[in-house]
Amino acid sequence: MADLKHRILMVSDFFYPNFGGVENHIYYLSQCLLKLGHKVVVLTHAYGNRSGVRYMTGGLKVYYVPWRPFLMQNTFPTIYGTFPIIRTILLREKISLVHGHQAFSTLCHETLMHARTMGYKVVFTDHSLYGFADVGSIHMNKVLQFTLADVTRAICVSHTSKENTVLRSGLPPEKVFVIPNAVDTAMFKPAQQRLGRDEIVIVVISRLVYRKGADLLVEVIPEVCRLYPNVRFIVGGDGPKRVRLEEMREKHSLQDRVEMLGAVPHASVRSVLISGHIFLNSSLTEAFCIAILEAASCGLLTVSTRVGGVPEVLPDDMIVLAEPDPSDMVHAIRKAISILPNIDPQVMHDRMKRLYNWNDVAERTEIVYNRALKCSDQSLLERLSRYLSCGAWAGKLFCLVMIIDFLIWRLLELLQVLSFGSKLDGNT
Amino acid sequence: MDMNFTADSSLAPSRWRKVAYGRMQPGYDDNHTDETFLEDMVMNANVVKRNMLKVMQDSVSISQYLCIVFLVVLVWIYTLRSTLNENSLLLLDISLLGSGFIILVLTEEMLSLKRLWNYVLSVSFFTTGLFVLAPIYQTLTRSISSDSIWAVTISLLLLHLFLHDYSGSTIRPSGALKNPNLTSCISLNASIVASVFIASRLPSRVHVFATMLFSLQIFLFAPLVTYCIKKYSFRLHLLFSLGLMAVTLTFVYSLHCLLFVLLVGILIFVNVVCPYWLIRIQEYKFEINGPWDEAKLCFDITD
């Protein structure tokens, strides 16, 4: 089974030194692909004065291109301005395949467009769910339709995410692969000593924003504290809704029963998790929830809202699901407390080691790469016909954008030949 | 890829499950699309089927308000040309105030002396305030040329018409549920500024007071009065609107022929063409809901 070893370029606006779902996914996937023998290069924008070429563990080369992020960590969309540097990186590293991450990243869209113009095979991974009804979503979906009109293969992190991506972009479902995220079980081990059962600790770690259901927490926590005198809460994370949680704490005098930790750095997440019995996730929408995996790997029983891809993430005996309604969530917490004696953290951790593994994710991604590289090359005219089907006006606009991109590519090639020629003349 | 046949391939391949945990499901690729794909999608769950006659009747509210605005502009033109003198204007104001009051009293379900007294008090405060401020308005735009004034007034009136809240009233009748939203406040402000600009072109203080009183009482209270009529009886509302349209058309015809043609065109467009167009494009409505939607909170967030 001597498969070809690929040279992959991972592109996203979201990478280390930021911590988050997409960032960790890219990092771990790259590390496992390096272990499998492929070469991986990451392209992202500069963070502060972290700019230039850096090397990370395992020889992972990261290009921090010196552009400033302008809105929510995204680089400013110049459409063609990024072409010269991307072309240089693609040629210098002798890349064979480009893998873009996250629909919200402008750098990803631009790089995929330029890579397609230059004839590379392109894979896209979508990490989030989007709606269809509001103005922001409609525009984002149109941009996604443009990028995915000509992508070679796509990857989604859950089956619900696959349905959502197929509806938003109009891709045929056979082109979309479902490869979930995974968790580093070596980093998230349960506590050495099992916690006492006389006081039940419920842990919440999330950004305290509307989308993550902080308002549900404000309704649920006082009710649970009232019904169960032996339950304590630990809330980690920061955000605009923190004020509401503090007010709730004051109003119901729960200062000794609800502990607010503030923002928890990624390295300390495990120590917060192992101090609890139950992990509570109240998000209103989730494509795939890695926080739940981390909690299950530390041996906590999870209580979560039944939204998005969450029902697919864990087997039914490791998670209790509830509708995003305060009374239903209190009911689910009651059920979780009653099945808590049957839970053995070490057994749960060992099961998680078998269920989720980054090496497995890398192998499945490698299959996708092999399939992508086997696809036939397409000429410009064939590709343009795909863009035309995107819409009555949008299709023609997209075709125009791609034609100009093609012309700029030819111009860049010509300039390189000319400058090479002039260098030769200078040397003789 | 090497073959996945194992020794016990006599077992039937296990069913595909829609789960993300575990390794690749044996016998199935990662891009396997089951028959259950998209089975939880719900299409057009909240879409209301529209009836042409009802939409045309509802569009009468819009044309009624358009006619009111046209009448206001007519009165402004007559005043600026001195066809209408200040005494007749004052008479017009008082009669409009009186009739508006009577309509409010008649269509109100609960007649209470206290509420009546509240109305009288607020109207008298308003009128006194205008009378006191009239000299300021008179000299407001003396240094600005007339062309700029007409241009600004017309743009402000267009803005007012675009952003106006045609279904309710910005000035809330007591007991109304919804707060006025931002666009209806902006449109009300635009109309008030337009009336101030026009009033500032007039020769005497009494002219200014009479015109300001007229414009403001129409822009502030006419939506309230028409809303009360509509709430009371829909037939009365239709009759009132048709009468108003007839009156407006007569006056505009006597003023200028081109304006008359324009008004007729706008009324036909609003009442006939737009409802037909709306019903035609409703067939293309495609609303998608499914498990990927963000959950809606069933309780209100009170800060």
Side-chain angles (χ1 to χ4, degrees):
Chain A
M1 195 185 81
D3 272 327
L4 227 49
K5 294 306 174 196
H6 313 301
R7 302 172 73 89
I8 303 151
L9 177 70
M10 299 272 188
V11 179
S12 182
D13 272 307
F14 308 103
F15 194 62
Y16 183 84
N18 267 6
F19 280 104
V22 182
E23 294 87 337
N24 284 343
H25 174 103
I26 301 176
Y27 178 73
Y28 282 118
L29 182 61
S30 310
Q31 290 295 327
C32 291
L33 285 170
L34 284 169
K35 267 196 257 175
L36 284 174
H38 305 287
K39 176 177 153 96
V40 181
V41 177
V42 179
L43 172 67
T44 183
H45 66 77
Y47 286 86
N49 50 4
R50 191 186 178 91
S51 159
V53 180
R54 304 284 171 114
Y55 285 89
M56 292 180 80
T57 324
L60 179 64
K61 188 170 184 182
V62 186
Y63 279 90
Y64 288 99
V65 183
W67 296 313
R68 270 281 132 110
F70 90 111
L71 178 70
M72 293 209 265
Q73 287 302 318
N74 277 322
T75 38
F76 189 73
T78 53
I79 307 182
Y80 302 114
T82 49
F83 207 158
I85 183 107
I86 289 175
R87 180 178 165 271
T88 311
I89 293 175
L90 285 170
L91 290 176
R92 173 181 289 182
E93 302 291 336
K94 300 191 186 50
I95 299 291
S96 57
L97 183 126
V98 179
H99 188 165
H101 291 265
Q102 188 61 311
F104 201 62
S105 160
T106 48
L107 183 59
C108 165
H109 287 294
E110 289 187 19
T111 309
L112 294 187
M113 175 172 82
H114 300 318
R116 278 309 282 155
T117 308
M118 293 175 70
Y120 289 95
K121 300 289 186 298
V122 146
V123 175
F124 175 76
T125 298
D126 199 0
H127 293 260
S128 306
L129 294 175
Y130 283 100
F132 298 92
D134 54 302
V135 181
S137 297
I138 294 177
H139 285 107
M140 176 62 62
N141 291 346
K142 208 65 191 173
V143 170
L144 187 72
Q145 207 180 4
F146 167 67
T147 303
L148 294 191
D150 199 22
V151 79
T152 320
R153 290 290 179 264
I155 300 176
C156 286
V157 291
S158 67
H159 297 284
T160 310
S161 178
K162 174 174 171 174
E163 292 178 355
N164 185 245
T165 302
V166 164
L167 280 176
R168 274 159 58 212
S169 63
L171 268 182
E174 296 72 42
K175 260 194 175 177
V176 183
F177 288 75
V178 175
I179 303 178
N181 283 327
V183 66
D184 186 5
T185 42
M187 201 167 116
F188 290 94
K189 285 197 164 76
Q192 305 282 36
Q193 282 173 312
R194 287 187 67 166
L195 292 171
R197 210 48 75 57
D198 44 352
E199 192 189 46
I200 300 196
V201 181
I202 302 184
V203 178
V204 179
I205 297 186
S206 78
R207 278 182 304 138
L208 300 175
V209 292
Y210 172 77
R211 223 165 167 243
K212 297 285 182 185
D215 298 297
L216 277 173
L217 282 180
V218 170
E219 303 292 321
V220 165
I221 292 181
E223 188 62 24
V224 171
C225 286
R226 189 180 66 86
L227 287 172
Y228 299 101
N230 63 337
V231 163
R232 211 163 49 88
F233 279 88
I234 297 181
V235 178
D238 204 352
K241 295 279 180 180
R242 187 174 174 178
V243 179
R244 287 203 75 210
L245 281 166
E246 304 271 9
E247 278 174 4
M248 175 266 303
R249 229 169 133 219
E250 297 282 330
K251 189 166 141 192
H252 297 272
S253 313
L254 293 170
Q255 284 88 342
D256 52 341
R257 308 226 5 227
V258 176
E259 191 184 336
M260 310 269 308
L261 295 175
V264 179
H266 191 74
S268 329
V269 167
R270 184 209 166 228
S271 52
V272 175
L273 283 174
I274 58 174
S275 61
H277 302 88
I278 296 179
F279 183 76
L280 178 60
N281 174 49
S282 55
S283 358
L284 299 180
T285 177
E286 250 348 312
F288 186 95
C289 194
I290 301 190
I292 293 179
L293 292 192
E294 293 172 353
S297 178
C298 288
L300 279 82
L301 179 61
T302 307
V303 175
S304 173
T305 43
R306 187 196 307 268
V307 288
V310 171
E312 305 167 25
V313 170
L314 285 178
D316 295 325
D317 51 344
M318 288 162 90
I319 186 170
V320 180
L321 291 170
E323 301 303 320
D325 174 61
S327 50
D328 209 31
M329 288 181 73
V330 171
H331 188 72
I333 292 179
R334 171 185 311 149
K335 187 171 164 205
I337 293 177
S338 68
I339 61 177
L340 202 52
N342 306 337
I343 301 290
D344 184 355
Q346 192 58 43
V347 167
M348 200 186 259
H349 174 80
D350 293 330
R351 258 183 97 187
M352 284 302 290
K353 275 209 294 215
R354 287 195 307 273
L355 288 178
Y356 283 104
N357 189 330
W358 276 113
N359 291 314
D360 176 57
V361 170
E363 281 167 11
R364 288 157 85 171
T365 314
E366 193 187 9
I367 297 177
V368 178
Y369 292 158
N370 293 339
R371 295 262 188 98
L373 284 171
K374 284 205 186 75
C375 287
S376 54
D377 287 326
Q378 289 190 315
S379 70
L380 179 65
L381 286 175
E382 286 165 350
R383 291 174 46 227
L384 284 180
S385 66
R386 287 209 204 161
Y387 286 110
L388 264 180
S389 61
C390 282
W393 295 99
K396 301 181 176 60
L397 179 67
F398 294 161
C399 279
L400 188 64
V401 169
M402 289 313 282
I403 290 173
I404 297 179
D405 206 38
F406 182 79
L407 292 172
I408 293 182
W409 177 44
R410 284 301 188 205
L411 180 67
L412 286 173
E413 302 261 289
L414 188 66
L415 284 175
Q416 186 180 35
V417 167
L418 288 176
S419 77
F420 188 62
S422 69
K423 271 206 204 82
L424 280 182
D425 285 335
N427 281 341
T428 52
Chain B
M1 281 308 290
D2 55 356
M3 299 293 152
N4 281 338
F5 290 121
T6 55
D8 48 355
S9 59
S10 54
L11 281 172
S14 48
R15 254 186 57 231
W16 181 85
R17 288 182 308 152
K18 190 177 170 182
V19 291
Y21 51 83
R23 307 299 169 98
M24 237 165 102
Q25 299 188 29
Y28 297 101
D29 278 333
D30 278 325
N31 64 343
H32 171 81
T33 310
D34 211 32
E35 304 88 50
T36 59
F37 188 67
L38 287 181
E39 70 175 356
D40 288 325
M41 180 170 81
V42 177
M43 297 200 286
N44 284 343
N46 299 328
V47 170
V48 163
K49 203 81 178 63
R50 288 182 212 268
N51 177 10
M52 177 78 172
L53 200 61
K54 180 136 196 332
V55 178
M56 281 179 72
Q57 281 178 341
D58 288 336
S59 67
V60 162
S61 311
I62 303 180
S63 35
Q64 172 198 64
Y65 192 73
L66 267 169
C67 293
I68 292 179
V69 171
F70 258 88
L71 282 174
V72 170
V73 173
L74 270 173
V75 168
W76 284 347
I77 293 178
Y78 284 142
T79 315
L80 283 167
R81 285 191 190 169
S82 311
T83 318
L84 205 58
N85 70 347
E86 61 266 32
N87 293 326
S88 32
L89 200 53
L90 275 172
L91 206 62
L92 182 64
D93 289 341
I94 295 173
S95 53
L96 275 175
L97 255 180
S99 45
F101 232 128
I102 293 173
I103 294 179
L104 269 181
V105 162
L106 285 178
T107 58
E108 197 76 31
E109 282 136 17
M110 302 174 312
L111 205 57
S112 81
L113 212 57
K114 187 166 173 296
R115 189 181 285 180
L116 217 60
W117 180 239
N118 272 341
Y119 279 152
V120 170
L121 214 57
S122 34
V123 169
S124 41
F125 274 145
F126 167 64
T127 319
T128 324
L130 263 183
F131 189 70
V132 166
L133 289 173
I136 303 180
Y137 295 140
Q138 192 186 6
T139 54
L140 193 65
T141 58
R142 204 166 267 182
S143 58
I144 305 180
S145 77
S146 296
D147 292 338
S148 328
I149 298 285
W150 312 144
V152 171
T153 308
I154 293 182
S155 359
L156 282 173
L157 276 181
L158 283 175
L159 182 69
H160 167 70
L161 285 172
F162 267 118
L163 295 181
H164 186 250
D165 178 13
Y166 290 99
S167 62
S169 162
T170 314
I171 308 278
R172 266 187 309 162
S174 15
L177 298 149
K178 287 192 306 176
N179 281 326
N181 50 4
L182 178 66
T183 47
S184 61
C185 290
I186 293 179
S187 78
L188 188 61
N189 282 326
S191 60
I192 293 177
V193 174
S195 5
V196 168
F197 274 166
I198 289 290
S200 65
R201 277 331 215 180
L202 293 170
S204 86
R205 176 186 165 156
V206 184
H207 268 114
V208 172
F209 168 65
T211 312
M212 280 294 296
L213 184 59
F214 172 74
S215 328
L216 284 189
Q217 85 192 12
I218 296 282
F219 285 127
L220 291 173
F221 299 129
L224 175 62
V225 168
T226 52
Y227 175 73
C228 286
I229 295 179
K230 194 158 95 169
K231 218 170 42 156
Y232 181 69
S233 150
F234 197 70
R235 293 199 66 199
L236 195 61
H237 163 77
L238 278 178
L239 278 169
F240 177 64
S241 312
L242 288 171
L244 203 61
M245 279 195 252
V247 165
T248 316
L249 283 170
T250 339
F251 276 119
V252 172
Y253 182 65
S254 62
L255 180 70
H256 199 275
C257 213
L258 187 61
L259 272 179
F260 174 72
V261 171
L262 183 68
L263 183 59
V264 168
I266 292 178
L267 285 177
I268 293 181
F269 181 70
V270 166
N271 278 343
V272 178
V273 175
C274 281
Y276 178 66
W277 199 4
L278 177 67
I279 293 186
R280 275 289 305 280
I281 59 179
Q282 264 244 308
E283 294 165 12
Y284 297 110
K285 190 154 176 82
F286 184 38
E287 196 184 65
I288 309 173
N289 288 108
W292 47 80
D293 284 333
E294 188 174 295
K296 287 212 177 12
L297 292 176
C298 52
F299 51 90
D300 285 321
I301 302 174
T302 49
D303 278 324

